[in-house]
Each structure stands twice: as C-alpha cells, then as structure tokens.
C-alpha cells in the first residue's frame, strides 16, 4: 500500500486549500461584523452632530426673532419720538412768532 508522492502532495494541497478557505471565511465574517459596528458607530455620531446642529439653528432662529421684535419696538419708539419732536418744534416756532421770547 504505497501512496505515490504525487497523490500525497495533491491531498496535502487540497487540505491546505480547504483550511485556507475556512480561515478566510471566518476572517471575512469577523471583519464584516467589525465593519458593521464601525459603520453603526459612525452613523450614530453623525446623527448626534446633526441633531446638535439642528438645535443650534433653532436657537439662532429664536434669538433672531427676539432681536427682530426689539428692533421693531425700537423703530416704533423712534417714530413716536420723532413725531413728538416735530410737535415740540412747531410749538417753539409758534412761541417765537408771537414774540414772547
């Protein structure tokens, strides 16, 4: 029962090939799981950052509305003061025309 060297070499080659395939499959499977975890982590980080940006934009909108309301109130005050000043000047002009001063 002699085994020829060629057959033995072929069998050893087949065993090594099968072992390589098995090791390659497990390595691929393991790396795929790591990639999925890594992608999920990156996705969560991006989502968190986007949420923070959205909250910042909302805060800026609120601040802008408050500033707009203050500018509107200030504008109305300036208009009232301008009208009051015009009336005061008219009264001063009337007094000067009468010659009381």
């Amino acid at each position: 029962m002699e085994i020829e060297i060629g057959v033995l070499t072929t069998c050893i080659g087949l065993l090594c090939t099968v072992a390589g395939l098995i090791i390659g499959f497990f390595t691929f499977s393991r790396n795929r799981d790591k990639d999925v975890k890594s992608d999920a982590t990156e996705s969560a980080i991006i989502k968190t950052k986007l949420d923070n940006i959205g909250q910042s934009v909302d805060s800026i909108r609120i601040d802008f509305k408050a500033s707009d309301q203050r500018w509107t109130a200030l504008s109305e005050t300036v208009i009232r003061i301008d009208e009051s000043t015009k009336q005061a000047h008219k009264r001063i002009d009337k007094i000067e025309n009468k010659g009381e001063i």
Side-chain angles (χ1 to χ4, degrees), residues 44-85:
I45 290 170
I46 290 171
K47 184 176 179 182
T48 302
K49 288 182 179 182
L50 285 175
D51 288 343
N52 290 338
I53 291 170
Q55 290 173 354
S56 296
V57 168
D58 290 341
S59 175
I60 290 170
R61 278 192 197 132
I62 291 168
D63 291 344
F64 181 76
K65 286 180 182 179
S67 294
D68 188 42
Q69 289 173 351
R70 284 187 296 232
W71 277 106
T72 302
L74 182 62
S75 175
E76 291 171 359
T77 303
V78 168
I79 290 170
R80 278 188 256 122
I81 291 171
D82 190 39
E83 290 172 358
S84 177
T85 304

